[in-house]
């Protein structure tokens, strides 16, 4: 059986921490979409680790960590990540499996991402510049290169063919690519060779064999539901399907194997990059959340935009993924705030359809509800009943509003700072 763990907001909800926390219950952790645009932070015994492409079960012995077919891989970045993770003590050689059908991010994809963002000017998406969109474009355009293609004697020719097309696009953008491309190319081919020394598998068969043998699989999402290519605030989205359905195509799984879907959300909201953010706070409170929550991107270091919890958006994400259980993250950041707010609705939107078709073209005015805060430092608490009364009332309200139970509450970045509600 497969359980899915995914983010319900704009990414950076704390998926890495929770995937690592839950891994002892699983035999396999599998990433199903996205690429090194992700930055998943884990904190173990005071040591912080950031994973971009490697699944977050890698620090557990005897766990299979599979990079699925739906993921896009930059060999240069994955090599550096593997070396860093081995140095941090993980058994990457033993535990990492890579799908042969995962698509490769070419050096020119990274440059195309930059060229496209430059050309958009004010309208730029604020991408992570990791080449995500150009790589998925080549995948759907049926001209991409996959991990398994590196075994073919035609590999260099395939690369050249893809590059020729990219060069015509650089010319269109009048983008200066030659110097950077020359610098990256040999490193890229070396990294492709390096990755051939790891276990590359036909992941759909591999995973089904695990399931048949009774193994338990955790599918780890990247990004967040509101960045989903189809249902996020298009065009300010990423280029993959981040909702639970993405786990089926991103791993080659039939829907019948999906058991439980767990959705993670922060007790407030953050967003990196451009696009609509109805509850954004451009004031002292926004800065308080950024500072106290260390809201700076794990991948790019960019300051994250911050705002109050947005329930219409959260409920939309719960609906899209059929979420069975919620996990609330970073509740500790709210300690010390006198009055906490959460958006219950947007003015003028119907109850049934709170997220309008064109979020970009509409100014959404949130209707807020206020909650009394708590002063206690909850990051040291480990028992649900020991949490402040006002905080538990806030949790009860969220559960009733979302009609989904909150099973876990995270009160700090460390593995240990995690409270089971039941
Ligand atoms: P991910 O992309 O969803 O894995 O999340 P990120 O790792 O990008 O961002 C989450 C950040 O919050 C990281 O710096 C985590 O170490 C940190 N974090 C996770 N859970 C908590 C929590 O409950 N409280 C606090 N204060 N920080 C947390
Ligand atoms: P994790 O897995 C937060 C955002 C970018 C940009 C948009 C498109 O750590 O939660 P892309 O590079 O994908 O073309 O950028 O998506 N974005 C993320 N924001 N967390 C992430 O991943 C993100 N991955 C992409 O900032 O707005
Ligand atoms: Mg992140």
């Amino acid at each position: 059986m497969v359980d899915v763990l995914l983010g319900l907001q704009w990414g950076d909800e704390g998926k890495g921490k929770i995937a690592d926390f839950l891994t002892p219950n699983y035999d396999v952790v599998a990433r199903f979409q996205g690429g090194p645009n992700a930055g998943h932070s884990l904190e173990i015994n005071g040591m912080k680790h950031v994973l971009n492409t490697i699944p977050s079960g890698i620090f557990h012995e005897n766990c299979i960590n599979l990079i699925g077919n739906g993921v896009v891989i930059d060999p240069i970045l994955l090599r550096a990540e593997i070396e860093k993770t081995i140095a941090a003590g993980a058994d990457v050689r033993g535990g990492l499996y890579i799908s042969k059908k995962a698509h490769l991010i070419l050096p020119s994809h990274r440059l195309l991402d930059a060229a496209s963002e430059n050309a958009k000017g004010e309208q730029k998406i604020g991408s992570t510049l990791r080449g995500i969109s150009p790589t998925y474009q080549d995948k759907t355009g049926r001209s991409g290169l996959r991990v398994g293609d590196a075994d073919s004697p035609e590999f260099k020719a395939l690369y050249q063919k893809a590059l020729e097309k990219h060069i015509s696009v650089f010319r269109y953008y009048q983008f200066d690519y030659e110097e950077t491309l020359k610098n990256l190319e040999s490193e890229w081919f070396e990294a492709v060779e390096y990755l051939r020394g790891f276990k590359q598998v036909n992941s759909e068969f591999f995973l089904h064999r695990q399931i048949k043998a009774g193994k338990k699989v955790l599918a780890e999402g990247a990004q967040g539901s509101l960045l989903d290519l189809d249902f996020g605030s298009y065009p300010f989205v990423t280029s993959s399907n981040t909702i639970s359905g993405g786990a089926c195509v991103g791993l080659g799984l039939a829907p019948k194997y999906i058991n439980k879907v767990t959705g993670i959300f922060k007790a407030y909201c953050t967003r990196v990059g451009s696009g609509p953010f109805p509850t954004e706070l451009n004031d002292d409170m926004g800065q308080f959340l950024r500072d106290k929550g260390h809201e700076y991107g794990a991948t790019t270091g960019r300051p994250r935009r911050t705002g109050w919890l947005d329930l219409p958006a959260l409920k939309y994400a719960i609906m899209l993924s059929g979420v069975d259980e919620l996990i609330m993250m970073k509740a500790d950041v709210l300690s010390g705030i006198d009055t906490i707010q959460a958006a219950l609705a947007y003015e003028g939107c119907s109850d049934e359809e709170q997220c309008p078709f064109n979020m970009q073209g509409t100014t959404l005015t949130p209707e807020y509800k206020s909650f009394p805060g708590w002063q206690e430092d909850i990051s040291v608490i480990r028992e649900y009943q020991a949490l402040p009364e006002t905080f538990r009332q806030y949790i009860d309200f969220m559960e009733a509003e979302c009609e989904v139970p909150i099973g876990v509450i995270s009160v700090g970045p460390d593995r240990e700072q995690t409270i089971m509600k039941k």
Side-chain angles (χ1 to χ4, degrees):
M1 272 298 178
V2 182
D3 291 343
V4 184
L5 176 76
L6 44 78
L8 297 176
Q9 294 161 319
W10 283 284
D12 301 329
E13 296 88 352
K15 298 174 291 293
K17 168 182 164 161
I18 294 301
D20 168 68
F21 174 78
L22 295 176
T23 297
N25 304 324
Y26 295 93
D27 304 291
V28 182
V29 179
R31 272 277 304 269
F32 58 88
Q33 45 69 233
N37 48 349
H40 294 180
S41 317
L42 285 60
E43 212 173 290
I44 308 164
N45 302 325
M47 280 287 287
K48 186 168 174 164
H49 310 276
V50 178
L51 297 168
N52 304 108
T53 309
I54 300 176
S56 298
I58 199 70
F59 287 98
H60 293 266
E61 272 174 35
N62 304 322
C63 175
I64 292 171
N65 286 268
L66 174 68
I67 301 176
N69 57 280
V71 175
V72 289
I73 294 175
D74 184 326
I76 296 178
L77 296 180
L78 181 54
R79 179 188 186 161
E81 185 182 341
I82 289 173
E83 287 171 350
K84 188 181 72 174
T85 311
I86 291 174
D91 176 22
V92 185
R93 290 213 171 268
L96 186 67
Y97 292 71
I98 305 171
S99 172
K100 287 190 184 184
K101 289 197 170 77
H103 277 246
L104 293 171
I105 302 177
L106 275 48
S108 45
H109 283 134
R110 268 202 232 174
L111 294 168
L112 283 173
D113 204 353
S116 157
E117 286 285 80
N118 279 353
K120 285 196 163 105
E122 293 267 289
Q123 293 304 308
K124 73 171 184 193
I125 306 298
S127 96
T128 58
L129 301 178
R130 295 293 190 273
I132 303 300
S133 158
T135 307
Y136 280 115
Q137 284 180 49
D138 274 350
K139 176 178 177 175
T140 54
R142 295 167 288 185
S143 52
L145 269 69
R146 297 178 296 173
V147 166
D149 289 331
D151 297 336
S152 156
E154 307 296 317
F155 185 59
K156 278 230 155 115
L158 287 170
Y159 173 89
Q160 282 305 332
K161 203 163 168 226
L163 185 60
E164 271 164 36
K165 199 179 92 184
H166 297 167
I167 288 173
S168 68
V169 185
F170 291 133
R171 294 208 175 110
Y172 165 79
Y173 282 126
Q174 301 184 324
F175 188 81
D176 195 3
Y177 67 93
E178 279 167 352
E179 185 71 22
T180 325
L181 188 62
K182 210 166 74 203
N183 290 338
L184 287 172
E185 257 179 349
S186 54
E187 194 184 349
W188 190 84
F189 278 104
E190 277 165 31
V192 168
E193 215 32 56
Y194 174 84
L195 292 183
R196 292 182 72 208
F198 286 79
K199 291 185 267 271
Q200 303 190 346
V201 293
N202 290 316
S203 53
E204 63 281 30
F205 289 109
F206 175 78
L207 205 59
H208 277 87
R209 281 197 297 274
Q210 301 295 326
I211 293 169
K212 262 199 157 163
K215 306 283 184 198
K216 292 184 77 184
V217 181
L218 180 67
E220 175 187 4
Q223 289 80 54
S225 308
L226 305 175
L227 289 169
D228 181 273
L229 177 60
D230 284 78
F231 301 104
S233 44
Y234 193 88
F236 297 97
V237 293
T238 191
S239 298
S240 61
N241 286 111
T242 58
I243 60 173
S244 58
C248 292
V249 277
L251 292 170
L253 284 172
K256 69 177 177 185
Y257 293 113
I258 305 283
N259 177 38
K260 177 176 166 188
V261 179
T262 301
I264 310 193
F265 71 107
K266 282 182 194 171
Y268 51 96
C269 282
T270 62
R271 175 164 203 167
V272 242
S274 327
F277 186 176
T279 61
E280 184 166 15
L281 291 165
N282 289 306
D283 57 9
D284 289 351
M285 182 55 75
Q287 191 58 41
F288 172 89
L289 294 172
R290 187 174 305 110
D291 289 343
K292 188 150 183 223
H294 303 290
E295 296 297 356
Y296 296 88
T299 303
T300 58
R302 291 178 292 176
R304 295 176 183 147
R305 299 156 67 192
T306 52
W308 294 122
L309 186 63
D310 183 335
L311 280 163
L314 185 64
K315 287 199 264 186
Y316 182 54
I318 290 171
M319 174 188 88
L320 291 169
S321 283
V323 172
D324 298 299
E325 186 179 276
L326 290 166
I327 297 186
M328 182 191 272
M329 308 299 293
K330 301 190 96 159
D332 54 301
V333 175
L334 299 184
S335 287
I337 301 176
D338 290 334
T339 306
I340 295 162
Q341 308 223 63
L344 290 198
Y346 304 133
E347 262 175 32
C349 290
S350 76
D351 283 350
E352 289 78 32
E353 294 191 14
Q354 280 281 311
C355 286
F357 164 72
N358 191 359
M359 278 189 88
Q360 180 50 19
T362 325
T363 308
L364 291 173
T365 310
E367 290 170 1
Y368 287 106
K369 177 174 167 62
S370 297
F371 299 84
W374 55 91
Q375 297 304 315
E376 295 91 329
D377 171 15
I378 60 170
S379 69
V380 293
I381 295 178
R382 300 288 175 268
E383 296 288 329
Y384 184 73
Q385 290 310 322
L387 288 166
E389 176 69 24
T390 47
F391 177 55
R392 283 186 283 134
Q393 283 166 357
Y394 175 78
I395 295 273
D396 290 346
F397 181 87
M398 295 306 158
E399 285 188 322
E401 248 328 275
C402 297
E403 299 177 70
V404 180
I406 297 178
V408 180
I409 295 151
S410 174
V411 292
D414 203 272
R415 255 186 201 171
E416 304 298 318
Q417 292 172 298
T418 314
I419 300 173
M420 306 298 289
K421 184 159 176 263
K422 282 161 267 168

